[in-house]
Amino acid sequence: MIARAGAGPLRRLVVLRHAKSAWPDDVPDHERPLASRGRRDAPAAGRVLADADCLPDLALCSTAVRARETWELAAAEWGTPPPVRHDGRLYAAEVADLLEAVREAPAEAETLLLVGHNPGLEELVLTLAGDSLDDALDDVRMKFPTSAIAILAWHGLGWESLGPGAALLTDVIVARGKKSRGEKGHHGRGR
């Protein structure tokens, strides 16, 4: 894996946008659950991370229901899920809030998973990536859909030193699960 030069061990920040959510009537945004497609895609995200040998040492997850469900379904695909911290700051967060939460991660966590929402996650990836492999940055600029995963690599002694342009965006993957027989497609609002 290629990463930008720097002091300290190779660290990876794995950014996962929550899976597709439902829009039930009279349910506050924070409480919206995953849609059936999201319940298929979240485990696929977990499998993608396992296949890429990119399992986290620690997860930071928004307190929103759709983010927590994404985390639970993705982590269920791993033998031993890492600890998770549910952080209210990650809900509807801007880049500064996301970066503050990341910078508080312990130095022992060399791979950190961040589960949250757009537009903050997309903006965070674009802020932290000084460069990318292939067309990964262009992919994020074009669209960072639900269940999208961005993997950022950098060298650092601790998370507190992660800053704008410090990381290399090594991969962008959109995890999709397969529909079961008889499952109908649903066209709804996206966010």
Side-chain angles (χ1 to χ4, degrees):
M1 180 183 292
I2 300 170
R4 298 177 69 78
L10 178 66
R11 296 186 181 279
R12 294 181 298 182
L13 176 61
V14 180
V15 178
L16 170 59
R17 183 175 174 201
H18 68 77
K20 182 76 175 170
S21 59
W23 292 83
D25 293 333
D26 300 322
V27 174
D29 183 72
H30 188 272
E31 304 307 312
R32 288 191 298 117
L34 291 180
S36 59
R37 187 178 102 193
R39 287 191 298 277
R40 289 191 314 269
D41 293 348
R47 291 189 296 275
V48 162
L49 291 174
D51 291 346
D53 194 25
C54 200
L55 296 181
D57 300 309
L58 174 67
L60 305 177
C61 183
S62 163
T63 55
V65 169
R66 60 194 179 274
R68 290 192 330 253
E69 289 179 346
T70 298
W71 156 252
E72 290 164 4
L73 291 168
E77 296 295 314
W78 311 328
T80 305
V84 60
R85 294 181 183 171
H86 293 95
D87 190 331
R89 295 175 297 177
L90 303 180
Y91 172 68
E94 296 182 4
V95 171
D97 302 313
L98 294 167
L99 199 48
E100 180 181 339
V102 166
R103 287 177 173 160
E104 292 172 3
E108 301 80 46
E110 292 184 359
T111 299
L112 183 65
L113 173 64
L114 180 62
V115 184
H117 313 268
N118 256 3
L121 291 184
E122 178 179 330
E123 292 168 3
L124 178 70
V125 170
L126 294 174
T127 297
L128 295 177
D131 201 358
S132 70
L133 296 181
D134 302 321
D135 297 324
L137 266 172
D138 291 335
D139 292 345
V140 173
R141 284 185 192 109
M142 192 172 356
K143 187 172 185 181
F144 196 66
T146 56
S147 301
I149 300 166
I151 302 172
L152 295 145
W154 65 287
H155 287 274
L157 295 174
W159 291 97
E160 66 278 353
S161 63
L162 179 59
L168 177 70
L169 180 59
T170 62
D171 211 349
V172 176
I173 307 154
V174 179
R176 294 290 184 239
K178 294 183 180 183
K179 282 186 182 180
S180 60
R181 281 188 186 200
E183 188 175 348
K184 294 180 181 181
H186 180 271
H187 299 286
R189 297 176 284 185
R191 181 164 62 147

